[in-house]
Amino acid sequence: MNRRSGLSARLKLTLSYAGLVLVTGAVLLAVVWLFLLRYVPDNSQGLLGVSPNRFLLSRIFGRAAAVAMAVLLVFGLAGGWILAGRMLAPLAQITSAARRAGHGSLSHRIRMEGRRDEFRELADAFDTMLEQLESHVGEQQRFAANASHELRTPLAISQTLLDLARKDPTRNQDELFARLRAVNTRAIDLTEALLLLSRSDRGNFVRESVDLSLVAEEAAETLLSLAEQRGIALDVTGAAARTSGSAELLLRMVTNLVQNALVHNLPAGGAVTVHTERQQDTSVLRVENTGPPVPPDLVPTLTEPFQRGTERVRTDEHAGVGLGLAIVHSVVRAHDGTLDLVARPAGGLVVTVRLPGTP
């Protein structure tokens, strides 16, 4: 926005300091004039015939007052200019950092030294904002690059299959159609997951009262066939745990957690437990599963989009698109909750979701 140029903050502070000094000096001179000269006799002989009269003292005092006011003006302007410069020096550092950030340099930090005051708190808050902004921009760039790569893969496979079919007309058409359908389904699933992730990140959904225990039962019923197919015991326990949010997004969150627990489990004889409870003003959902050991350094990366550990990559029809826990994390964050992932010593994960509870 273009604005007309005006006085700088330093000049305004300087004039304010000088004006305050002049006003203070004028008040002192007025006090001297009113409470000192008023007691001096106003006659030709003065006090007892030897002291100056009021007229003479007024002339002498007036000249001294004028000189004093001139000195105060110069002192106020010079001192105010210096003091204003020292007071506004931290703002110059913050302005410089803001200009660098405006040109795309988010790695610069002010790191203001000295004791904590208003300017130090402002600089620290600005550094924190730059750090979060740099992290967010980096995360978005990685997400865009990974999403482009993931979307390009099924398209490239489809193009390769079509090229092979054109070069070899005698190729089995049913097999080609089946592979194209599988690739196209995966691309659709990825696109829908990206749209859901974007929707949950924006947080533009209607909130209603949702019981996590009912959502957990619905998700378990949906995935019961998958659990039976893999020979995994799926149990839902606990009590009612109400929260406020989107029933659709919360169902997708629980479904992703349960499906993730079923897919990354033991080949046979595994177990998945979904538990809901109310802890004071918090509604808790806990999903625990057996499975292969998860390296501790891998756990913090599981909620990042498209981040798959080598030990957790699946090659079957339930391989997923690498957005399951990322969507869970986004939904939890949109509902003002927290998500905790802990690796079980015996293998598998314990995922705990805590959301604000409602009566």
Side-chain angles (χ1 to χ4, degrees):
M1 180 182 297
N2 294 327
R3 294 189 176 95
R4 293 181 300 175
S5 59
L7 299 179
S8 64
R10 185 175 186 180
L11 182 56
K12 291 179 180 179
L13 288 176
T14 299
L15 295 178
S16 300
Y17 293 150
L20 181 61
V21 171
L22 287 179
V23 170
T24 304
V27 171
L28 291 176
L29 293 177
V31 170
V32 173
W33 178 269
L34 294 176
F35 291 93
L36 179 61
L37 294 182
R38 64 181 298 183
Y39 295 107
V40 177
D42 187 13
N43 52 47
S44 59
Q45 298 298 325
L47 182 62
L48 300 179
V50 295
S51 300
N53 57 17
R54 184 181 301 178
F55 175 76
L56 182 59
L57 286 179
S58 299
R59 294 186 59 185
I60 298 174
F61 181 77
R63 294 175 182 175
V67 174
M69 293 298 292
V71 173
L72 287 176
L73 177 61
V74 174
F75 177 78
L77 291 174
W81 182 262
I82 296 174
L83 290 176
R86 296 190 61 180
M87 291 295 297
L88 295 177
L91 286 182
Q93 300 180 11
I94 299 176
T95 302
S96 177
R99 288 198 179 99
R100 292 190 181 186
H103 289 88
S105 176
L106 301 178
S107 60
H108 176 71
R109 299 292 182 270
I110 301 174
R111 295 188 176 89
M112 186 176 295
E113 299 179 353
R115 295 184 178 182
R116 181 172 298 276
D117 56 10
E118 289 81 357
F119 290 113
R120 175 70 182 275
E121 291 181 356
L122 177 61
D124 292 344
F126 193 82
D127 285 343
T128 302
M129 182 192 70
L130 286 179
E131 184 177 356
Q132 295 177 352
L133 185 61
E134 182 182 19
S135 175
H136 180 71
V137 170
E139 180 180 348
Q140 292 298 320
Q141 291 176 347
R142 291 192 301 270
F143 177 81
N146 291 330
S148 301
H149 174 75
E150 294 287 339
L151 287 171
R152 183 178 58 184
T153 300
L155 295 177
I157 295 176
S158 299
Q159 182 178 1
T160 301
L161 292 175
L162 292 175
D163 291 340
L164 291 176
R166 184 179 59 182
K167 293 178 181 179
D168 186 9
T170 62
R171 188 180 181 89
N172 188 346
Q173 299 295 324
D174 294 337
E175 180 184 357
L176 174 63
F177 291 151
R179 296 188 63 180
L180 284 174
R181 180 179 178 82
V183 173
N184 186 61
T185 301
R186 181 174 178 81
I188 293 175
D189 292 341
L190 176 59
T191 304
E192 291 180 349
L194 291 173
L195 292 174
L196 180 63
L197 186 62
S198 174
R199 178 189 171 192
S200 60
D201 283 338
R202 292 194 304 268
N204 55 349
F205 50 82
V206 179
R207 292 180 178 269
E208 57 182 313
S209 180
V210 181
D211 189 351
L212 293 181
S213 63
L214 299 180
V215 175
E217 292 178 0
E218 183 177 354
E221 183 178 355
T222 303
L223 297 171
L224 183 59
S225 59
L226 176 61
E228 294 176 348
Q229 177 184 351
R230 294 175 176 270
I232 299 175
L234 178 58
D235 295 326
V236 179
T237 63
R242 288 194 169 274
T243 186
S244 176
S246 169
E248 178 186 358
L249 291 178
L250 292 174
L251 176 60
R252 185 59 182 266
M253 175 195 73
V254 180
T255 303
N256 283 3
L257 288 175
V258 177
Q259 182 176 358
N260 187 77
L262 292 173
V263 171
H264 302 288
N265 213 304
L266 297 175
V272 174
T273 302
V274 183
H275 181 76
T276 58
E277 62 180 335
R278 182 69 178 266
Q279 295 180 357
Q280 296 181 352
D281 295 334
T282 304
S283 296
V284 180
L285 170 75
R286 185 179 300 105
V287 179
E288 183 175 358
N289 71 307
T290 57
V294 181
D297 57 344
L298 180 64
V299 174
T301 67
L302 295 179
T303 57
E304 297 181 9
F306 308 108
Q307 298 298 318
R308 306 184 186 95
T310 55
E311 296 84 351
R312 295 173 60 82
V313 173
R314 303 289 301 189
T315 58
D316 55 13
E317 68 276 11
H318 298 283
V321 295
L323 290 174
L325 289 179
I327 292 176
V328 170
H329 187 214
S330 179
V331 172
V332 172
R333 185 170 50 192
H335 287 77
D336 302 323
T338 59
L339 175 66
D340 295 324
L341 281 73
V342 178
R344 297 175 70 247
L349 280 176
V350 178
V351 182
T352 305
V353 176
R354 293 180 173 86
L355 300 176
T358 58

